[in-house]
Amino acid sequence: MARTRFAPDRGLTSRMLLTMFFIGLLYVVFVGALIVLLKGAWPFVVIFAGGLFIAQFWFSDKIAAFSMGAREVSAQEYPELHGTVDRLCALADMQKPKVAVAQSDIPNAFATGRNEKNAVVCVTTGLLRRLEPEELEGVLAHEMSHVAHKDVAVMTIAGFLGVLAGIITRVGLQFGMFGGFSSRDDRDGDNTAVAALIVIGVSALVYTISFLLTRLLSRYRELSADRSAALLTGRPSALASALTKVSGQMAAIPTQDLRRAQPFNAFYFAPAVSVRQAAGQAFSTHPSLEKRLEQLGRISAELGRA
């Protein structure tokens, strides 16, 4: 847990550690299997896997922010937005993150960054246009909680192995479809084909396990961020109102725009899907709206009794 006044969450910490342990174990097994199966190509496997991991860790936050259209803005451009972030930083006793805005009608927000020093908190113009000041404060507190708890960095690293396994699976399948497995008739060709099929199978299995692990962590971390934001601001009802507005407005966004945003759902305040679609997604990156509102209702009651 970072040195802030955001409420610590041991459940989140233990889940992050467990996820990182299993992801690390999967990574070692995955790279080891590739080295054994590809034999003579092991230097390429090590260089490729290591290089991609470094790139994913150091540049994924910048790539994600760029892909989502985030642009860092000054206090002169958005004084109210910066003012809200300043108040939350003072309240939470944390370093101020970079503040960015994305030109998008999708009402949403996200945080990214390897650590508190490199953190960026971004909101869309659609969100700024739709929310009241106290609702915006709740959303920003939610995103800053991700930075304080360091779960943004964990999600970035946890997603790496799935990305690598997915790439290898797709490349392998394309290679097979274009006749790469049947280009030779001798025994070496048969062995190569079997090895390639095993690599694809291992990659697909690793991708599936990585996918499930990150989804489980993602759902819990959203509930944790809601809880921490509500306790920090003391206004869970404002965050609940923001959640209801954002989720309800998704249905008014063109389907094409939602599909473009969906690859980044794990980073968003709310998934870029309509309420009806979200209800039918068994492997959603976020808990259901009902579950999030129910938790905020309990916190509101607890604060009222206190």
Side-chain angles (χ1 to χ4, degrees), residues 116-271:
E116 191 174 322
K117 185 178 179 181
N118 296 288
V120 177
V121 172
C122 178
V123 297
T124 65
T125 50
L127 188 80
L128 291 174
R129 188 167 60 253
R130 289 174 173 88
L131 297 190
E132 298 298 325
E134 63 273 12
E135 295 169 338
L136 178 62
E137 181 184 65
V139 173
L140 289 170
H142 171 105
E143 296 304 328
M144 290 169 64
S145 170
H146 285 315
V147 176
H149 286 102
K150 295 184 170 63
D151 54 86
V152 169
V154 172
M155 282 298 293
T156 297
I157 298 171
F160 160 73
L161 188 57
V163 171
L164 177 59
I167 290 172
I168 292 176
T169 302
R170 286 194 297 272
V171 170
L173 289 173
Q174 289 174 355
F175 180 70
M177 285 190 296
F178 283 107
F181 297 153
S182 58
S183 59
R184 298 179 182 177
D185 297 326
D186 56 12
R187 186 173 299 176
D188 289 341
D190 292 338
N191 291 339
T192 300
V194 172
L197 289 173
I198 293 174
V199 168
I200 293 173
V202 171
S203 299
L205 179 62
V206 168
Y207 176 81
T208 301
I209 296 174
S210 177
F211 176 87
L212 293 173
L213 285 172
T214 52
R215 285 300 182 274
L216 289 172
L217 175 61
S218 180
R219 290 184 183 186
Y220 185 89
R221 84 185 190 107
E222 293 302 330
L223 288 174
S224 176
D226 284 346
R227 182 167 53 251
S228 296
L231 292 174
L232 182 74
T233 62
R235 290 192 285 193
S237 59
L239 182 57
S241 177
L243 267 171
T244 304
K245 274 188 183 181
V246 169
S247 300
Q249 287 291 324
M250 287 297 177
I253 305 299
T255 303
Q256 186 177 0
D257 292 343
L258 290 179
R259 285 177 180 168
R260 250 189 249 116
Q262 283 171 8
F264 307 104
N265 271 348
F267 290 94
Y268 279 135
F269 168 67

